[in-house]
Amino acid sequence: MTLLASYASDPGRSRGRLHPEPGGEVRGPRDMFQRDRDRIIHSIAFRRLRHKTQVFVSPDGDHFRVRLTHSLEVAQIGRTTARTLGLNEDLTEALCLAHDIGHPPFGHAGEDALEAALDAHGGFDHNAHTLRTLMLLESPYPLFRGLNLSWEMLEGLAKHNGPVTRPGWAMQAVDALFPLDLASHASLEAQLAAIADDIAYDNHDIDDGLRAGLLTLDQLLSVPLVKGCWDRVRARYPDVPQDRLLRELVREQIGVMANDLIAATRANIAAAGVETVDDVRRAGATLVGFSPELAAQERDLKRFMYATLYHHPSQLAAADRARVIVTDLFRAYQADPKLMPPEWRDDCATLEPQRSRHIADFIAGMTDRYAEKRHAEIFGELALA
């Protein structure tokens, strides 16, 4: 077991759970954060990530990433870097596995559609919906709603991108239930989960884009970070055909980013003089991150990916179709809640905003293919874009 640094999150000093655990906290060899991780893995919401969009909507090929495989890859990067930095691996892994649970079907296109549908009722945010799902909607236990995760786990999910200064209605509701100190920074484990997410999708989306034929190596080599990594790969394997080295390029970039992250984070921690996890929360700045040089290169890569892959004409057409599906479903259920399954129909309020928010909860939990199926049942087959 890795010796924890003094500023790491310690399950033995956790602020606890919202509800007392029947029989006490300790059952078997797992500590609090290990139990959090296992509750995420065994949740229905986590299993649904298998059929939710990462880059491509309802991908036909079996080799493309979905939200589930992406979350596993984020957890791999997060756990390894946490071990190197002396942070709590189990909390980091749990945060990485759970970070996308609040995403609706069809990725950001589905989120945009729900945000528009709820515009008059407080809007929709996938990060807040992650907390809503895990604290209220996922209910496998007999005595309370939610997974009853630790305070540190919920705090990390709320603030992994930094303090929340303007919480929306969903975040306000969970914070009122179990106050999460939204105005402070989160633990180093939560900060690390956010950067692990960036490293994973920056690089694995390249892999999927190349596989789909929407990106070419020549295009990628216009990005300085990619060019530098490619030159090193070619120098290491001068006699290997180019197409055999594309996945090695992705591995090289992940290594470059991870090593820079570790070095820069160590320097930030030392400069800030933090010694405890409370010092981290009071530091007034994010401490886990890239060096300024790599951060600038990573922003260049993101700009390239948006222009070339995420905004590719075929991707935009698929996103338009996805927004139609989500918007149509929301309007249909709002007009006639009896179209929803009994367990959702019976709990649908008649007053707003509760009615619309309940319908959004149902739609947000759908997988891509379930949303397409329900839309076809109500409206007939939607013509392909």
Side-chain angles (χ1 to χ4, degrees):
M1 180 179 176
T2 303
L3 182 64
L4 290 180
S6 63
Y7 40 72
S9 296
D10 183 349
R13 297 183 177 182
S14 169
R15 298 192 193 184
R17 304 185 189 275
L18 177 60
H19 305 287
E21 290 286 297
E25 180 61 42
V26 179
R27 278 187 292 175
R30 296 175 301 166
D31 65 34
M32 180 173 285
F33 299 153
Q34 290 170 333
R35 293 177 70 193
D36 282 348
R37 176 203 57 209
D38 295 349
R39 289 176 185 194
I40 295 298
I41 290 173
H42 293 294
S43 68
I44 292 173
F46 182 71
R47 291 198 292 274
R48 284 198 298 258
L49 296 179
R50 177 187 175 194
H51 294 294
K52 290 197 175 190
T53 293
Q54 175 59 22
V55 176
F56 301 106
V57 174
S58 296
D60 293 328
D62 292 333
H63 298 167
F64 293 107
R65 288 166 175 84
V66 292
R67 287 282 168 189
L68 179 62
T69 55
H70 165 69
S71 297
L72 294 172
E73 289 168 338
V74 175
Q76 177 192 33
I77 294 168
R79 185 164 192 124
T80 301
T81 48
R83 181 181 305 142
T84 305
L85 291 167
L87 303 181
N88 190 288
E89 297 176 41
D90 299 308
L91 178 59
T92 303
E93 182 182 24
L95 289 164
C96 291
L97 291 172
H99 80 282
D100 269 354
I101 275 178
H103 268 287
F106 312 121
H108 292 290
E111 181 170 8
D112 290 345
L114 279 183
E115 168 67 20
L118 284 179
D119 182 58
H121 307 294
F124 179 87
D125 172 68
H126 77 265
N127 191 45
H129 195 71
T130 293
L131 285 152
R132 183 170 171 81
T133 299
L134 298 177
M135 293 181 71
L136 298 171
L137 302 179
E138 185 86 15
S139 296
Y141 299 109
L143 300 181
F144 45 76
R145 297 173 68 186
L147 296 186
N148 202 29
L149 301 173
S150 70
W151 185 91
E152 290 74 15
M153 179 71 181
L154 298 171
E155 178 226 20
L157 291 172
K159 302 186 296 186
H160 62 274
N161 289 319
V164 181
T165 57
R166 299 178 62 185
W169 68 271
M171 188 71 75
Q172 289 178 24
V174 297
D175 185 58
L177 190 64
F178 198 14
L180 298 173
D181 276 350
L182 294 179
S184 71
H185 282 266
S187 66
L188 293 174
E189 288 82 1
Q191 296 178 32
L192 177 55
I195 302 298
D197 182 28
D198 286 346
I199 294 174
Y201 78 71
D202 280 345
N203 292 288
H204 296 140
D205 289 0
I206 287 176
D207 189 26
D208 279 354
L210 288 167
R211 189 183 301 278
L214 301 187
L215 294 178
T216 68
L217 180 60
D218 286 342
Q219 289 174 313
L220 283 164
L221 294 181
S222 68
V223 181
L225 175 61
V226 180
K227 179 66 165 58
C229 291
W230 179 248
D231 288 346
R232 287 191 292 275
V233 167
R234 290 298 290 160
R236 266 203 312 272
Y237 304 102
D239 301 321
V240 176
Q242 178 174 294
D243 61 343
R244 292 285 305 278
L245 296 180
L246 295 177
R247 295 181 73 185
E248 185 66 22
L249 167 65
V250 172
R251 287 190 287 269
E252 174 74 13
Q253 288 184 180
I254 291 173
V256 166
M257 287 184 167
N259 288 333
D260 181 272
L261 167 68
I262 290 166
T265 298
R266 283 175 170 160
N268 292 341
I269 290 170
V274 300
E275 296 182 359
T276 69
V277 68
D278 289 332
D279 290 341
V280 171
R281 295 191 175 98
R282 291 190 295 260
T286 298
L287 300 176
V288 179
F290 300 125
S291 66
E293 297 78 15
L294 188 63
Q297 290 184 312
E298 195 260 350
R299 287 193 295 271
D300 286 341
L301 174 59
K302 274 189 168 64
R303 282 192 287 268
F304 168 86
M305 293 295 283
Y306 272 95
T308 311
L309 178 62
Y310 306 140
H311 292 167
H312 188 280
S314 65
Q315 291 287 83
L316 294 177
D320 287 344
R321 182 174 183 272
R323 280 188 283 269
V324 168
I325 291 173
V326 172
T327 301
D328 284 351
L329 286 175
F330 186 89
R331 290 172 177 168
Y333 295 140
Q334 201 172 41
D336 185 6
K338 291 193 291 296
L339 293 171
M340 292 191 290
E343 63 272 22
W344 284 92
R345 176 185 66 214
D346 294 345
D347 290 337
C348 190
T350 57
L351 299 178
E352 295 289 4
Q354 291 82 2
R355 181 187 184 93
S356 290
R357 291 173 179 177
H358 179 79
I359 291 167
D361 286 341
F362 176 51
I363 295 174
M366 293 181 176
T367 62
D368 293 13
R369 63 182 188 177
Y370 183 72
E372 290 174 330
K373 177 184 176 183
R374 296 311 301 259
H375 189 272
E377 290 171 352
I378 298 171
F379 298 98
E381 293 294 334
L382 184 64
L384 293 174

